[in-house]
Amino acid sequence: MNPTAQRIAIAEYCGTLKWSHALPVKALHCDVPDYPADLDAMHAAETALSPVALAEYAEELTALVGSWTEAIRATPEQRAEAFLRAIGKWTD
């Protein structure tokens, strides 16, 4: 998934992006967080996960980076991928 698609999918899940059918995809507003590049934005997104989704996210992140100790140091890009995998929105 490219970073723009990741931003859109996470923002939709978190409720921070509302689509208008009149706007093309290129009209992605600057106020939508850049989740794959911003650790603070990913932290905010993580708080939107239900307990079940949070457990799945922890599993995905640990699998992606190799261990729980490495998951603590995961980059925003890694966190975004794990988040999207946990909610079933990741596409290759």
Side-chain angles (χ1 to χ4, degrees), residues 6-76:
Q6 291 177 41
R7 285 179 71 190
I8 291 168
I10 295 171
E12 286 176 337
Y13 180 86
C14 294
T16 56
L17 179 64
K18 305 292 186 219
W19 285 107
S20 166
H21 295 293
L23 296 175
V25 172
K26 291 181 181 178
L28 182 63
H29 296 289
C30 295
D31 60 345
V32 172
D34 189 1
Y35 298 102
D38 185 346
L39 195 55
D40 290 332
M42 278 310 305
H43 174 71
E46 291 163 357
T47 64
L49 292 169
S50 70
V52 172
L54 186 60
E56 181 65 26
Y57 169 70
E59 284 185 33
E60 291 288 349
L61 187 57
T62 301
L64 186 64
V65 299
S67 70
W68 178 242
T69 54
E70 290 303 313
I72 294 169
R73 298 183 187 129
T75 66

